[in-house]
Amino acid sequence: MSDIQTYNVAVVGATGAVGQKILETLETKNFPIKQIKLLSSSRSAGTKIKFKDDIIVVEEAKPESFEDIDIALFSAGGSVSKALAPEAVKRGVVVVDNTSAYRMDETVPLVVPEVNEADIKQHNGIIANPNCSTIQMVAALKPIQENFGLNRVIVSTYQAVSGAGAEAVEELKDQAQAFLNGEDLHSELLPVKNEAEHYPIAFNALPQIDVFQDNGYTFEEMKMINETKKILHTATLPVAATCVRLPFFTSHAESIYVEVEDETSVLDIQDILKRAPGITLKDNPEKQEYPTPLDAAGKSAVFVGRIRKDLDHSKGYHMWVVSDNLLKGAAWNSVQIAESLIKNGWL
Ligand code: NAP
Ligand code: 12T
């Protein structure tokens, strides 16, 4: 018998885009698993999935699925988390939830371990994983906040289709293929089953991710605004966001403008980001070096480049932040939270 403690882990939404990356991350990080249970809807129940050297049969997620589970990683949509996370908690499970269901609940910690790991300790059975676009932004903002203070943040995003799930990835491939086969591009709303209708994405740019709110912002934009304030513990920090979907598969990119409190310089900001946990600085304009979605794909870091001073505001800086939306933006961050629960004895 090994003396390393191991855990019974459930992955809810195991057949989805995020679920598949969670399995990959658990393997990569050699997470201490005793038994793993893979859960989905009834549609995928019976599917076989390879995990390490085992073939695991996917089961339909039900309240009873959580008997004997220690940790459950949820990424099956908000309604599934709302219905089943409390059932899991009732059975003594600690839930790491990847959906927006509990992120703004005051009793639920919202955590990026490099930024606010200690918040995990206050959990009541559920810890929320932030939105993918928020995670990479706060990872880059935290060291700046700590060293120079933050007065304002304005962000525009360039987001990959994989953020919208496995079906959206197929949709981009199909539309691109159809165009290359000679079909006309059109711009009408597409009726889509099980989903809100949306415009074609291939060879397009859509300034709408998730649904519109009464204030004219989309829910994705409001997630970035509200989650950032919660994670950075700065309820009054002005944050504005514009979220745009683009036709590439993996990694979100962000153009971020920050106004800092104290005088600083590009070199000082580069210097603290170089040493910040989870950040890789790639910022050499003279060598044409900066991060792109393609080179961030498959990697766990948050990449930062193009740091430059605003030409009209002495405390304004611009930067370009790129990260794999399914890894640090979802699966990797969730597994980091689970590791932190174990390492710190907070389970
Ligand atoms: P996806 O590829 O469409 O996968 C959805 C998964 O949920 C599938 O495994 C599906 O199982 C399962 N599922 C659907 N309905 C279910 C039900 N009633 N009961 C149990 N399982 C059910 O979507 P995805 O991109 O992986 O995203 C999944 C969720 O994760 C999203 O809705 C979102 O809330 C969250 N997410 C978070 C982030 C982030 O920013 N941190 C990023 C992306 C997604 P079947 O195979 O049976 O259909
Ligand atoms: N609609 O976790 O479409 O709240 O890219 C993440 C990504 C919701 C979320 C997307 C979304 C979430 C998307």
Side-chain angles (χ1 to χ4, degrees):
M1 272 267 298
S2 133
D3 53 5
I4 295 176
Q5 198 172 346
T6 53
Y7 301 86
N8 290 335
V9 175
V11 178
V12 186
T15 53
V18 176
Q20 289 292 301
K21 290 291 170 181
I22 288 177
L23 298 181
E24 203 181 290
T25 304
L26 290 169
E27 281 203 40
T28 310
K29 285 176 154 281
N30 204 17
F31 194 85
I33 291 172
K34 194 187 299 167
Q35 270 197 359
I36 191 159
K37 192 181 266 197
L38 305 187
L39 302 170
S40 72
S41 78
S42 57
R43 292 181 294 275
S44 294
T47 307
K48 294 184 174 120
I49 292 184
K50 190 167 177 295
F51 181 76
K52 292 191 171 171
D53 295 328
D54 300 321
I55 302 290
I56 318 255
V57 180
V58 176
E59 299 168 43
E60 182 182 353
K62 297 181 179 154
E64 311 81 66
S65 312
F66 299 97
E67 309 279 355
D68 303 327
I69 296 296
D70 301 307
I71 301 172
L73 302 162
F74 275 69
S75 63
S79 57
V80 175
S81 292
K82 282 202 173 117
L84 289 180
E87 293 292 340
V89 172
K90 238 191 262 173
R91 289 166 174 79
V93 178
V94 177
V95 169
V96 180
D97 184 33
N98 234 303
T99 77
S100 60
Y102 298 99
R103 288 182 190 146
M104 295 314 297
D105 183 327
E106 281 175 13
T107 67
V108 173
L110 180 65
V111 177
V112 178
E114 292 87 345
V115 177
N116 62 334
E117 182 177 24
D119 289 357
I120 297 175
K121 192 177 177 187
Q122 312 301 328
H123 79 80
N124 297 298
I126 303 178
I127 300 103
N129 193 75
N131 175 259
C132 37
S133 314
T134 309
I135 292 177
Q136 65 185 69
M137 179 162 82
V138 296
L141 290 181
K142 174 71 176 181
I144 298 175
Q145 180 196 30
E146 257 177 0
N147 286 274
F148 314 115
L150 282 178
N151 276 342
R152 131 156 253 143
V153 176
I154 301 174
V155 58
S156 294
T157 70
Y158 306 70
Q159 298 186 220
V161 292
S162 58
E167 264 183 44
V169 170
E170 292 312 307
E171 187 181 306
L172 171 56
K173 288 182 190 167
D174 291 347
Q175 289 173 2
Q177 189 68 258
F179 172 70
L180 295 174
N181 286 341
E183 283 183 32
D184 284 342
L185 290 175
H186 57 90
S187 63
E188 297 86 43
L189 280 170
L190 303 166
V192 184
K193 64 172 177 353
N194 303 328
E195 221 191 306
E197 33 174 41
H198 51 268
Y199 295 103
I201 181 63
F203 309 100
N204 209 355
L206 306 178
Q208 180 193 353
I209 298 181
D210 220 325
V211 294
F212 278 103
Q213 313 291 287
D214 290 341
N215 64 3
Y217 287 76
T218 62
F219 189 40
E220 184 81 352
E221 289 160 355
M222 291 314 298
K223 283 180 266 183
M224 288 194 81
I225 292 167
N226 294 326
E227 294 179 19
T228 296
K229 297 178 197 213
K230 177 167 174 176
I231 297 163
L232 294 178
H233 301 151
T234 50
T236 58
L237 176 69
V239 181
T242 303
C243 292
V244 181
R245 181 88 67 202
L246 289 177
F248 52 82
F249 293 110
T250 312
S251 305
H252 295 342
E254 299 176 347
S255 165
I256 304 177
Y257 170 73
V258 293
E259 275 167 30
V260 292
E261 231 162 72
D262 307 331
E263 291 287 348
T264 179
S265 66
V266 169
L267 277 178
D268 282 348
I269 294 176
Q270 285 175 328
D271 198 48
I272 57 124
L273 285 173
K274 219 180 276 171
R275 289 180 283 114
I279 302 274
T280 300
L281 187 73
K282 194 169 180 190
D283 192 10
N284 293 303
E286 61 287 357
K287 290 189 187 156
Q288 219 177 325
E289 284 177 0
Y290 43 76
T292 67
L294 265 189
D295 79 83
K299 297 176 184 145
S300 61
V302 172
F303 295 86
V304 184
R306 301 287 329 271
I307 301 175
R308 61 212 188 275
K309 191 168 183 169
D310 191 80
L311 297 177
D312 296 299
H313 193 297
S314 66
K315 292 177 180 175
Y317 291 87
H318 300 270
M319 61 184 175
W320 174 249
V321 176
V322 186
S323 190
D324 187 321
N325 56 307
L326 297 179
L327 286 177
K328 184 57 183 167
W332 189 272
N333 197 70
S334 295
V335 176
Q336 279 183 304
I337 293 171
E339 288 178 325
S340 173
L341 282 162
I342 293 171
K343 179 187 74 190
N344 293 297
W346 292 335
L347 255 189

